[in-house]
Amino acid sequence: MSLPLSGRYRNVPPKNEATARIILLNGTSSAGKTTLARKLQSILPDPWLYMALDQFRDGMAPQYRGLNAPEGSDGARGLNVVPVHPTEGTPYTEIRYGDVGHTTVLGMHRACAAVADAGNNLIIDDVICERTFLDDYIRVLPHDRTFFVGVQCQESELARREAQRPGRFPGTATGMMLSCHRHGIYDLSVDTSATNPENCARQIVRRIGKARPTAFGQLARGLTPPANRGESS
């Protein structure tokens, strides 16, 4: 049995999805995305909500947050932190997503799209480690209102920050660097090892006030929609 809406919900104004904007921050662990997002919230004139991959990871059942979990285990099916020891080069840490991890990430993308669709300006804090994740964002987020921002940081500074943060596994950020930025196209890139958070934030504010975003449109060229989904780009 459905219940009637109370007065305060019945009078909610209609959604304004045509004007809500999205800032998608993509960068490695310890690159400074969260600090940058909070700085953006403090200087942007309108209200902006914040959503992050970490929030969805922390929402997973503990057994699906693996630490070098063996193949077939719950930890490997979720989000698995795996040390890698190459025959040449420096060891690093890799984040691997199993079927539960992939489902969680795709759910996050659609939750972000729904929040923006309701008329909320949105800042997304993510580490896009797989091209399939980027392609999914391109399918579900509006190209003309999503500003894709690369949050860069020098490897030596990443290592320094990582060493100072509790609960961080050495080499995690290094392991993410190549996969995270491999696509190579952004509306804007900022370097948090060269510029302080406020100046980085102001660069982003200037960019979103200057012109419509173009990165997702460029990245979408040649993207084939999956056969089992009805979303359009």
Side-chain angles (χ1 to χ4, degrees):
M1 180 180 68
S2 61
L3 297 176
L5 291 174
S6 67
R8 69 189 180 108
Y9 291 116
R10 190 184 302 120
N11 295 323
V12 169
K15 64 183 181 179
N16 190 22
E17 72 275 12
T19 59
R21 293 175 293 174
I22 300 168
I23 299 172
L24 174 54
L25 303 176
N26 179 45
T28 68
S29 170
S30 299
K33 301 184 303 299
T34 304
T35 301
L36 179 56
R38 296 306 186 191
K39 182 59 66 175
L40 281 166
Q41 285 182 307
S42 73
I43 66 175
L44 283 162
D46 300 318
W48 288 70
L49 288 176
Y50 170 77
M51 296 176 72
L53 176 63
D54 285 353
Q55 296 167 337
F56 286 79
R57 179 204 62 199
D58 293 345
M60 297 174 73
Q63 65 267 30
Y64 291 100
R65 301 198 298 267
L67 176 56
N68 203 21
E71 188 68 29
S73 66
D74 287 343
R77 293 185 62 202
L79 191 155
N80 198 15
V81 180
V82 180
V84 178
H85 300 277
T87 54
E88 296 182 5
T90 306
Y92 60 93
T93 302
E94 188 172 80
I95 309 298
R96 298 177 184 172
Y97 295 84
D99 63 303
V100 173
H102 277 87
T103 301
T104 300
V105 170
L106 299 188
M108 171 189 167
H109 296 174
R110 283 147 185 77
C112 291
V115 166
D117 187 55
N120 298 286
N121 293 318
L122 180 63
I123 301 169
I124 305 172
D125 171 348
D126 204 350
V127 186
I128 305 175
C129 290
E130 296 185 14
R131 179 63 199 229
T132 54
F133 293 157
L134 176 58
D135 290 348
D136 191 62
Y137 264 135
I138 292 168
R139 291 187 178 102
V140 302
L141 297 183
H143 296 181
D144 62 339
R145 291 180 284 112
T146 300
F147 293 85
F148 195 23
V149 179
V151 183
Q152 311 275 356
C153 185
Q154 294 296 317
E155 187 172 356
S156 58
E157 176 62 12
L158 286 173
R160 187 193 69 79
R161 294 177 186 178
E162 202 168 58
Q164 294 181 343
R165 300 178 69 181
R168 298 287 167 162
F169 298 95
T172 301
T174 299
M176 295 173 174
M177 284 186 74
L178 289 178
S179 60
C180 182
H181 300 296
R182 183 174 290 139
H183 55 86
I185 297 175
Y186 288 110
D187 290 296
L188 175 70
S189 289
V190 295
D191 186 344
T192 64
S193 56
T195 309
N196 65 45
E198 178 160 356
N199 285 336
C200 286
R202 293 196 181 280
Q203 289 179 42
I204 296 170
V205 172
R206 286 194 295 271
R207 173 61 187 88
I208 67 175
K210 183 179 179 181
R212 285 185 176 273
T214 60
F216 266 26
Q218 295 177 62
L219 289 164
R221 292 169 189 163
L223 185 64
T224 303
N228 63 337
R229 293 192 189 278
E231 298 97 332
S232 60
S233 57

